[in-house]
Amino acid sequence: MLSATLLAACSANDGRQAIPTDKAVEAQVEQVLKGMTLEEKAGQLVQLNISVLEDDTREAIDPAKLDKIIGQYKVGSILNVMHDAAHSREQTAAMVRQIQEKSMEAIGIPCIYGLDMIHGATYLTDGSFYPQEVNLAATFNREYPRLMGRAMAYETRAAQVPWVFSPVMDLGRDPRWPRIWESFGEDPYLQAEMAREETLAIQGSDPNHIGLENAAVSIKHFMGYGVPVSGKDRTPAIIAENDLREKFFAPFLECFRAGALTAMVNSASINGIPTHANAILLSGWVKEQLGWDGMLVTDWADIDNLFQRDHVAADKHEAVAMGINAGIDMIMDPYDPECCNVIVDLVKDGRISQARLDDAVRRVLRLKVRLGLFENPLWDKEYPEFASEQFGRESYAAAVESEVLLKNEDNILPLKGTERILVTGPNANSLRALNGGWSYRWQGAADEFAPQYNTILEALEARFPGKVRFEPGVSYLPGDDWQAEDASGLGKAVAAARGADVIVACVGENSYCETPGNMDDLNLSANQKALVKGLAATGKPIVLILNEGRPRLIGDIEPLAKAVVDVMLPSNYGGDALAALLAGDENFSGKLPFTYSKHINALHTYDYKVSEHRETMEGSYNYDAVMDVQWPFGFGLSYTSFAYSKLKVSQADFKAGDVLKVSVDVTNTGTRAGKEAVLLYSSDLVASLIPDVKRLRGFEKVSIEPGQTVTVNFELPASRLAFVGADGRWRLEKGDFRLSCGGQSAMLSCTETHIWDTPNI
Ligand code: BGC
């Protein structure tokens, strides 16, 4: 249980409502609600997987099943793709049309269809894909989540679907967890900024009236999902209460306040409480404290997990009552329409009150009204920008800005163009690996669906005609086991290296998603390490390309490479982007949005406590101490160089209500134009809880010509320097702070302690 102190500290309302109430919306909701039977209400609270409607071909809807699910059970929402794979915009629209027409005829209430559009319209075969969120975070450029969100919403609407299960904002603070690539890195501020931009781009600026080029978001997974103690997906997390409020809630809060209409709940548990049964978080923090009138949907079968997996409920009835009474509004069941009857039973025997039932139904109806589904259950509109070249250009530009140059000894990059290049490694010729999961299929299947895009190999062959030879050395085996490899070509690759001038070794991971992505060793696979070691023995210079969803440990092979680039999951244009970067046609500007760890027993985040560091044995709190990591958060090289000077802060003393104006000069001291992500950090030098060594408080991406100096300005509300104390309250404490940016630093003092009496600031 969350402690009584924390609960007490957080019971107040925030004083500002997350989504403004719209009288016309509310009137329409009431109008619909008052005509509904108990069975119809129960149906609105259930969401089923499309497989319950598929016929034997799995490519079409079975009319008898439609009669049963929509006609008889009156189910209010359907999700996912037929036959577990993406379909074209036309096929998807035709399928939704069939369901929607039935829903209007049988219930008179529109069905809401939802899809996992994760990095663009990633469940449409002809949709536009952008780099995964972890890549967008590496751009440190707010423009990219905006562009991706807009295209995602536009193309999803074009397929008659009004709801996306995006953006993902689980903090990627444990590299063992298989889903860190789905969100924007390890830092709460970066995550919150990028997720808010994506939310606004998907929904538009008026959450009460979502237009036909926008969609509803489902921000997920609320919350604390990304730090399971075991490192394995959907397993328990233990999170300090102050961290939960200060860090894990931060991106959700930002998105709720930006008008996010729905949120999906964390499948696992925090401090022993399955999140789906956590009334304090679901009803308390979100609905009461934020005055949020949106809709909470479960994740996949997570009500069943309350009794089948977590054993906090004895049976389905108890689990459904527990979830709905904790604050769940819609149950993603996903295969069992009988859930509707369970809800009916529970209302009849009083285990779910009429008031809670009506509140949940209102929230579902409000979403449908806000989306305009009653007026336009289907819409007749042209979408001329669907899969446009412009969306492709944006995806390419995002990929260029997201690939991170981590090492470039002797300026081996850019390549001169005269070298004989050996391209090798299991990731060299794989679109599946470039895209990762949630790409055409849940586990990723880009080679099957999108052969028109270039793999790394194809892009290098196009950029360096006649210069490229390919020997994979190690290959991924087709099939379900993404970790299965064939290393029988290793000898051939090493032999080919002898005839090359430079080796581009593309290693990393094959695609995966969720629980199947669990693994037991964060080290890069033994086969791939053996390949790199074998190649290095030839004495030929290695450019190591990391194409992976999480930072796999490479401490022993990194010294064997002259250059290292982490492309993460840059999607369909990622190969072209890499070829252009390696050739020097484009310049690198990505920076790591996570800490790249070096040792298995030292998996840290950049905002560690100095006492975690081995050099603090003398007892001094050394804010300049550096963890022994492979590469720190925020690290990334360029083909040019930047010098920072003149860090200025508008005032030396401050109080909680002040807004500090901070500026710093950044000069391009090299010979090429470049973009620089300017990162502003703070350190709290003395605090009542052990302070983090530093925290990111601002970032801006700027383009700078050679020889040019740009002044970068930040407006930093002093409240952003506050932390959540032991009593669960936000506090800014009197004392010294240090701001730092690009090696520059400035000291300043808070002159008065301030403790907020609202749960959020
Ligand atoms: C995932 C969610 C996803 C849902 C619906 C779950 O297994 O955890 O992220 O939105 O399935 O497909």
Side-chain angles (χ1 to χ4, degrees):
M1 240 3 213
L2 291 178
S3 74
T5 41
L6 187 73
L7 185 55
C10 299
S11 58
N13 188 290
D14 258 6
R16 40 178 169 147
Q17 200 178 340
I19 308 174
T21 305
D22 182 296
K23 284 193 182 135
V25 169
E26 296 309 308
Q28 195 174 349
V29 168
E30 293 308 317
Q31 180 66 28
V32 178
L33 183 75
K34 73 178 186 215
M36 289 172 76
T37 63
L38 173 57
E39 286 70 21
E40 284 169 349
K41 288 179 180 177
Q44 288 301 305
L45 306 194
V46 175
Q47 182 184 51
L48 296 179
N49 188 37
I50 183 66
S51 59
V52 300
L53 296 176
E54 288 167 358
D55 68 11
D56 292 344
T57 68
R58 301 206 59 198
E59 292 295 343
I61 288 179
D62 179 334
K65 290 182 179 168
L66 198 57
D67 276 346
K68 177 176 146 198
I69 298 296
I70 306 289
Q72 182 190 327
Y73 283 101
K74 305 181 192 314
V75 164
S77 180
I78 304 286
L79 84 153
N80 215 352
V81 282
M82 289 217 258
H83 212 160
D84 301 322
H87 288 71
S88 72
R89 164 193 172 185
E90 269 77 26
Q91 290 167 320
T92 306
M95 170 200 63
V96 176
R97 180 174 297 279
Q98 225 181 319
I99 298 170
Q100 196 62 297
E101 283 169 355
K102 181 73 190 178
S103 190
M104 293 314 287
E105 171 209 310
I107 327 176
I109 295 176
C111 178
I112 181 164
Y113 207 101
L115 281 177
D116 284 288
M117 300 303 205
I118 302 298
H119 56 118
T122 44
Y123 260 166
L124 295 178
T125 50
D126 43 2
S128 301
F129 287 32
Y130 287 66
Q132 297 276 4
E133 279 187 11
V134 70
N135 283 69
L136 300 194
T139 70
F140 282 88
N141 187 342
R142 293 173 183 83
E143 189 64 9
Y144 290 117
R146 272 181 220 136
L147 293 173
M148 180 175 87
R150 180 182 167 256
M152 178 197 291
Y154 183 92
E155 295 190 346
T156 305
R157 269 285 184 171
Q160 299 286 338
V161 174
W163 188 21
V164 293
F165 305 144
S166 240
V168 190
M169 54 202 70
D170 303 310
L171 296 182
R173 292 173 77 79
D174 187 330
R176 298 170 305 161
W177 188 50
R179 302 192 74 171
I180 71 165
W181 49 272
E182 290 182 51
S183 61
F184 296 106
E186 74 184 33
D187 175 66
Y189 177 72
L190 174 61
Q191 186 88 226
E193 290 290 299
M194 302 304 246
R196 182 199 59 226
E197 294 306 311
E198 189 179 330
T199 295
L200 287 169
I202 294 170
Q203 290 196 166
S205 54
D206 179 0
N208 276 303
H209 304 95
I210 304 291
L212 289 177
E213 295 185 2
N214 294 98
V217 297
S218 191
I219 59 177
K220 67 186 190 184
H221 307 80
F222 179 74
M223 71 179 179
Y225 180 32
V227 287
V229 175
S230 69
K232 304 273 167 62
D233 189 37
R234 286 173 156 78
T235 61
I238 303 293
I239 305 177
E241 292 169 8
N242 58 307
D243 266 358
L244 200 58
R245 173 73 73 181
E246 185 181 320
K247 295 183 178 170
F248 292 88
F249 192 41
F252 290 97
L253 177 63
E254 194 68 27
C255 292
F256 283 127
R257 285 180 169 162
L261 290 177
T262 81
M264 189 184 292
V265 176
N266 165 10
S267 268
S269 60
I270 306 170
N271 304 342
I273 309 177
T275 324
H276 285 76
N278 195 326
I280 294 176
L281 296 184
L282 304 184
S283 296
W285 286 32
V286 177
K287 292 182 175 176
E288 287 160 26
Q289 289 168 19
L290 299 180
W292 184 71
D293 64 5
M295 200 268 288
L296 286 177
V297 61
T298 74
D299 201 345
W300 192 266
D302 277 317
I303 292 298
D304 287 354
N305 280 332
L306 294 178
F307 68 101
Q308 289 177 347
R309 181 192 67 193
D310 289 333
H311 296 254
V312 294
D315 55 26
K316 179 102 176 192
H317 277 74
E318 195 178 340
V320 171
M322 192 178 271
I324 291 187
N325 288 329
I328 295 296
D329 302 308
M330 182 183 277
I331 299 176
M332 186 192 291
D333 201 285
Y335 303 112
D336 185 10
E338 268 304 300
C339 186
C340 302
N341 289 335
V342 174
I343 296 172
V344 169
D345 290 348
L346 291 167
V347 175
K348 283 188 178 154
D349 73 14
R351 284 198 272 171
I352 294 174
S353 69
Q354 189 67 43
R356 174 75 266 267
L357 173 77
D358 285 349
D359 173 56
V361 176
R362 274 193 189 94
R363 289 170 185 271
V364 176
L365 295 177
R366 194 179 285 126
L367 172 67
K368 295 181 176 183
V369 171
R370 283 171 163 160
L371 280 163
L373 292 179
F374 283 89
E375 286 70 35
N376 295 306
L378 296 157
W379 42 95
D380 189 17
K381 178 179 155 40
E382 298 289 309
Y383 288 87
E385 286 177 72
F386 187 92
S388 63
E389 282 179 17
Q390 175 60 23
F391 292 167
R393 278 194 293 274
E394 291 168 6
S395 177
Y396 169 81
V400 167
E401 277 195 46
S402 73
E403 299 185 355
V404 187
L405 179 63
L406 294 167
K407 181 176 182 183
N408 193 15
E409 240 173 51
D410 305 328
N411 291 326
I412 185 173
L413 297 177
L415 297 172
K416 290 169 202 63
T418 50
E419 304 93 334
R420 291 166 301 165
I421 306 169
L422 172 70
V423 176
T424 182
N427 293 59
N429 198 23
S430 170
L431 272 173
R432 173 179 164 185
L434 271 186
N435 274 280
W438 295 124
S439 303
Y440 306 104
R441 287 187 198 277
W442 177 46
Q443 294 296 314
D447 294 298
E448 181 189 333
F449 286 86
Q452 69 273 29
Y453 297 103
N454 285 330
T455 62
I456 294 174
L457 171 68
E458 289 161 351
L460 286 171
E461 281 171 340
R463 180 60 185 79
F464 299 105
K467 295 287 178 195
V468 172
R469 172 159 181 206
F470 176 53
E471 282 298 342
V474 176
S475 306
Y476 297 121
L477 294 176
D480 290 341
D481 180 2
W482 65 273
Q483 297 190 76
E485 295 175 345
D486 167 16
S488 59
L490 205 150
K492 264 172 113 178
V494 172
R498 297 200 178 91
D501 300 313
V502 64
I503 302 162
V504 177
C506 306
V507 299
E509 299 182 320
N510 205 353
S511 74
Y512 53 81
C513 196
E514 298 182 39
T515 310
N518 286 343
M519 56 172 193
D520 292 324
D521 188 349
L522 190 59
N523 277 285
L524 187 70
S525 81
N527 287 331
Q528 297 190 44
K529 286 191 173 186
L531 173 64
V532 175
K533 287 174 185 167
L535 295 167
T538 67
K540 298 299 168 87
I542 297 176
V543 175
L544 190 66
I545 308 297
L546 306 170
N547 169 206
E548 53 192 13
R550 58 194 141 188
R552 300 291 294 266
L553 304 186
I554 52 163
D556 51 340
I557 58 165
E558 176 273 326
L560 306 179
K562 281 268 182 201
V564 181
V565 180
D566 191 353
V567 303
M568 296 170 282
L569 302 176
S571 195
N572 284 332
Y573 292 95
D576 296 330
L578 181 66
L581 286 161
L582 296 185
D585 307 334
E586 305 275 7
N587 198 351
F588 284 96
S589 69
K591 291 188 174 183
L592 289 178
F594 50 77
T595 305
Y596 205 119
S597 294
K598 194 169 181 180
H599 311 288
I600 192 66
N601 282 9
L603 305 178
H604 297 287
T605 50
Y606 84 96
D607 51 350
Y608 56 91
K609 313 291 181 197
V610 171
S611 45
E612 291 176 57
H613 192 273
R614 62 194 159 83
E615 282 173 20
T616 54
M617 297 307 281
E618 299 119 39
S620 64
Y621 205 88
N622 176 6
Y623 281 85
D624 298 316
V626 179
M627 281 279 182
D628 186 24
V629 295
Q630 196 75 61
W631 294 287
F633 173 89
F635 184 75
L637 301 169
S638 159
Y639 289 143
T640 189
S641 49
F642 299 99
Y644 285 67
S645 60
K646 297 189 192 152
L647 177 68
K648 288 188 204 142
V649 189
S650 53
Q651 53 199 92
D653 294 339
F654 66 94
K655 294 195 179 114
D658 293 347
V659 177
L660 306 169
K661 295 193 169 44
V662 184
S663 67
V664 68
D665 283 1
V666 187
T667 305
N668 182 339
T669 51
T671 53
R672 290 191 53 142
K675 289 186 177 176
E676 171 75 339
V678 179
L679 312 184
L680 178 69
Y681 294 96
S682 74
S683 301
D684 189 346
L685 298 197
V686 180
S688 57
L689 288 185
I690 304 170
D692 295 335
V693 66
K694 63 177 180 173
R695 292 288 294 277
L696 184 73
R697 302 303 190 187
F699 62 89
E700 293 299 332
K701 189 87 177 258
V702 285
S703 297
I704 316 181
E705 294 298 317
Q708 190 195 5
T709 298
V710 167
T711 302
V712 179
N713 296 298
F714 297 94
E715 297 230 322
L716 178 61
S719 57
R720 204 177 287 160
L721 305 179
F723 66 97
V724 176
D727 61 355
R729 288 178 196 277
W730 281 97
R731 49 201 296 131
L732 181 65
E733 292 178 353
K734 191 172 163 176
D736 290 342
F737 286 76
R738 184 170 80 171
L739 295 183
S740 54
C741 186
Q744 299 272 298
S745 67
M747 297 295 297
L748 56 166
S749 292
C750 174
T751 53
E752 202 174 272
T753 294
H754 183 85
I755 301 171
W756 278 262
D757 54 14
T758 51
N760 300 297
I761 59 177

